[in-house]
Amino acid sequence: MNVHAWVWFATLGALVVMLTIDLLIVGRRPHEPSMREAGGWVAFYVGLALLFGLGIGVTAGWSPAGEFYTGWLTEYSLSVDNLFVFMIIMGRFSVPRQFQQKVLLIGIVLALIMRGAFIAAGAALIEQFSWVFYIFGAFLVYTAITLLKNDEEEEFKENILIRWAKRVFPVSSSFDSGHMTIVTEAGRRLFTPMLIVMIAIGTTDLIFALDSIPAIFGITKEPYLVFTANVFALMGLRQLYFLLGGLLERLVYLNIGLSFVLAFIGVKLFLEALHTNSLSFINGGHGLHWAPEIPIWLSLLVIIGTLGIATAASLIKTSRDRKKELVDSSV
């Protein structure tokens, strides 16, 4: 897929315009969106991603379109898992509901910048060293195993940057009107806790990018598709946070589903690395052609099927648990 420079500039320009509009709307009227408002925006961004994929299919072919859809779905599902930790951060710092949109939006902007740098670095590594897929594959399998063991309550710990910011910056005890700074009656300018929360959201997403970026490179090596899939996955994340709300707590098997997806992509990467092997100590530097190459349509089916089963099983289990609690409480 040959992506011209003007396509990159047009895409980045459209992204800047959308983020600017979002910042103006949230900045002028901080509020907690209703279910209808959040649902409308989520539907808008999902529809936009579907149309974008169709545009790729028409202009560049349906194989790249399939890669975009599979990458976007993978990043979107991993982003939903991130929402668990975002909820913990909001609760830990007692962020008022009307200011949470602003925190999430700034966090998404920071995430897009950092992920853009990660994608550029990953693409350069893959271009120069094809054996990096061995590392990516092994890392994803390791991440899949650790994901099964981790409890969301333990996934957020104040990192060194947050502790440093708390120590260096003068921070007020109040969120005030949701601005980044306030001026006291004595004329002293203080940062509000908004700064610390935004640092927490941004750095936490950076940690999540360590597994999501290798995962999508396991689906497509095209930097443009990797970047746009991340953009569409992150753009609707803020509204999805409010739309899902308590539903997140009911997705008890989501970690198992995501763990399987990461392990599947990790194995896919490892097999691809074997198939195109260039390491001299493996088969004399020649590819192992017995290693199968998993087609994109099969990857898409596996990811959709896994997430669908994990979601359905989660809702069935939580529904049964609630009915059991009601029966027990009535006895």
Side-chain angles (χ1 to χ4, degrees):
M1 182 176 174
N2 186 23
V3 181
H4 297 288
W6 70 265
V7 176
W8 273 104
F9 285 122
T11 303
L12 292 173
L15 176 61
V16 169
V17 170
M18 290 176 68
L19 288 174
T20 302
I21 292 171
D22 255 358
L23 283 168
L24 289 173
I25 292 173
V26 173
R28 286 182 178 179
R29 192 171 68 90
H31 67 289
E32 178 184 353
S34 64
M35 293 290 285
R36 182 177 180 180
E37 179 185 347
W41 278 107
V42 169
F44 170 74
Y45 283 120
V46 168
L48 208 59
L50 295 175
L51 286 174
F52 185 81
L54 286 175
I56 292 175
V58 171
T59 58
W62 295 108
S63 180
E67 292 176 8
F68 168 78
Y69 283 133
T70 308
W72 167 64
L73 185 62
T74 301
E75 292 297 305
Y76 208 28
S77 58
L78 290 170
S79 296
V80 170
D81 193 46
N82 298 1
L83 294 181
F84 284 102
V85 184
F86 290 169
M87 289 179 69
I88 294 168
I89 293 173
M90 298 293 189
R92 184 77 59 86
F93 291 98
S94 302
V95 182
R97 294 286 289 181
Q98 68 268 28
F99 301 142
Q100 290 184 9
Q101 274 210 92
K102 185 175 182 180
V103 171
L104 289 169
L105 182 56
I106 300 298
I108 286 168
V109 172
L110 293 173
L112 285 169
I113 294 171
M114 292 186 292
R115 289 190 182 209
F118 264 43
I119 291 166
L125 278 173
I126 292 168
E127 183 72 24
Q128 296 296 321
F129 311 105
S130 60
W131 51 261
V132 78
F133 273 176
Y134 285 114
I135 299 174
F136 281 3
F139 179 72
L140 288 177
V141 173
Y142 169 78
T143 304
I145 295 170
T146 56
L147 186 61
L148 287 175
K149 299 177 180 178
N150 283 345
D151 180 11
E152 282 78 16
E153 293 292 339
E154 297 175 354
E155 282 187 20
F156 173 70
K157 293 179 181 178
E158 291 190 2
N159 56 52
I160 188 171
L161 185 58
I162 297 173
R163 294 196 297 271
W164 174 82
K166 280 184 169 181
R167 188 172 64 253
V168 172
F169 297 116
V171 180
S172 69
S173 58
S174 170
F175 281 88
D176 195 57
S177 57
H179 295 299
M180 197 75 73
T181 62
I182 59 170
V183 178
T184 64
E185 293 181 0
R188 187 185 180 199
R189 183 171 291 277
L190 300 175
F191 287 98
T192 67
M194 290 285 282
L195 173 68
I196 307 299
V197 178
M198 288 175 183
I199 292 174
I201 293 286
T203 53
T204 299
D205 187 84
L206 180 62
I207 295 169
F208 283 128
L210 292 175
D211 55 47
S212 67
I213 298 302
I216 193 170
F217 270 118
I219 294 165
T220 176
K221 301 184 191 70
E222 173 53 54
Y224 182 77
L225 296 179
V226 173
F227 179 72
T228 51
N230 270 271
V231 167
F232 281 107
L234 288 173
M235 285 302 291
L237 195 60
R238 172 168 55 91
Q239 291 83 4
L240 192 64
Y241 173 88
F242 293 99
L243 179 65
L244 293 181
L247 181 61
L248 284 172
E249 298 175 359
R250 299 180 62 189
L251 299 178
V252 293
Y253 293 134
L254 180 63
N255 269 13
I256 297 175
L258 292 177
S259 178
F260 182 83
V261 168
L262 288 176
F264 170 77
I265 297 174
V267 171
K268 178 179 183 295
L269 271 173
F270 209 83
L271 289 172
E272 186 170 341
L274 287 173
H275 193 85
T276 59
N277 174 65
S278 60
L279 294 178
S280 59
F281 56 87
I282 299 177
N283 197 35
H286 301 291
L288 298 168
H289 298 299
W290 56 261
E293 290 185 293
I294 300 174
I296 197 66
W297 64 264
L298 181 58
S299 299
L300 184 58
L301 283 178
V302 169
I303 292 169
I304 291 175
T306 301
L307 295 175
I309 292 170
T311 301
S314 296
L315 297 178
I316 290 170
K317 184 182 186 303
T318 52
S319 177
R320 287 178 177 175
D321 289 347
R322 287 186 178 183
K323 288 178 181 178
K324 188 174 181 296
E325 287 175 7
L326 290 173
V327 170
D328 292 343
S329 62
S330 63
V331 174

